[in-house]
Structure formats: structure tokens, C-alpha cells
Amino acid sequence: MLLKQIKLKVSLYLALALSPALLLVPFLIVQHQREHLQVEIAQHVVQVSEMVVRSTRHAMLLNKRDIAEKIIEDIGKQKGIEQLRVISKDGTIIHSNRPVEIGSSVQQRDDPCVNCHLSGKPLAEIPDDKRWKI
């Protein structure tokens, strides 16, 4: 009888001691995985944006708008790319994978621009962590 009570108490104390660890460890693993995935997403977005710049650079230098437009359209059709735009310095969308957007303007306080235009002077080069948003 005494042995059963000791076993019960040890089991109860052990369960109470391990419960927080069993709840905390999965939470920490999920947080770590989330941070890791965000880093991977950031790298992928930067890679895609560099691909767009390099793919359209020559066509834009030669002022071949139709070729640049076709490149943007083709890249925008890739699975996982929802929106792809090239915005001029004055905020006009000059190329987009959504033709209805071409010619419309984006304000400096709108989503794609606000990170670079928070201060009075826009950033000369955009840091990688400011190039994407979830």
C-alpha cells in the first residue's frame, strides 16, 4: 500500500515537472521554424527581384518597352508570384503582370513605397529586409 502511494506521488510530481517542458519545447520549435522560413522567403524574394532587374535591364536600356513588358508578364505568370511591378521614380507603374495597373500611380505612403520613403530623403539602396513584406 505504501509503495503504491509513493509510486503515485512520484508519478504526479514527475508529470507536473515535465508538463511545462512538454508544452514549451514545441512552441520554441515552431518559433524557430517560423523565423527560419521568413529568412528563406526573404532570400527568395530578393533573388526574384534581382532576376527581374537583370532580365529587363538590357531591354530598358534600349528603350524596348514591349520586350521588357513581355519579360515582366512571363515572370509574373510563374507559380507563387502574385504581383510584379516596375515603378518609375515618379511613382508610375510602367510594367506589371496585371495590365490594368500600368499607368496608375503609387503614392509614397502606399504599401510598396512606405519603407523607403519614411524619411524625407528616399533610400539610395534598399536593404534586403525592406524588399519584402508578409
Side-chain angles (χ1 to χ4, degrees):
M1 188 69 170
L2 182 61
L3 188 59
K4 284 186 179 182
Q5 285 182 339
I6 292 174
K7 283 182 182 179
L8 182 65
K9 285 183 181 181
V10 168
S11 298
L12 183 64
Y13 289 137
L14 190 59
L16 287 173
L18 292 178
S19 292
L22 291 174
L23 294 173
L24 185 63
V25 169
F27 176 76
L28 293 174
I29 289 172
V30 168
Q31 286 296 105
H32 176 73
Q33 284 295 93
R34 180 176 294 172
E35 290 169 9
H36 178 70
L37 284 174
Q38 284 183 346
V39 168
E40 290 293 322
I41 290 169
Q43 289 173 348
H44 181 69
V45 168
V46 170
Q47 184 180 21
V48 169
S49 69
E50 290 296 322
M51 178 187 61
V52 170
V53 169
R54 290 187 177 136
S55 297
T56 59
R57 182 177 184 276
H58 187 68
M60 289 187 181
L61 287 174
L62 295 175
N63 201 21
K64 303 280 187 177
R65 296 179 67 89
D66 55 331
I67 295 172
E69 208 165 285
K70 182 63 177 155
I71 292 169
I72 296 295
E73 182 184 323
D74 289 344
I75 294 172
K77 288 179 182 175
Q78 297 294 314
K79 184 178 178 181
I81 296 179
E82 293 180 23
Q83 188 175 29
L84 181 60
R85 303 185 210 174
V86 176
I87 302 172
S88 69
K89 288 183 180 184
D90 67 347
T92 304
I93 299 173
I94 55 174
H95 299 292
S96 175
N97 65 329
R98 298 177 182 173
V100 296
E101 291 182 332
I102 297 173
S104 62
S105 292
V106 179
Q107 300 298 318
Q108 289 181 356
R109 62 186 174 276
D110 289 346
D111 243 357
C113 304
V114 73
N115 287 332
C116 300
H117 293 279
L118 283 175
S119 63
K121 184 180 175 188
L123 299 174
E125 191 170 313
I126 304 163
D128 289 348
D129 64 333
K130 302 271 190 220
R131 291 175 129 185
W132 65 281
K133 179 181 175 184
I134 294 178

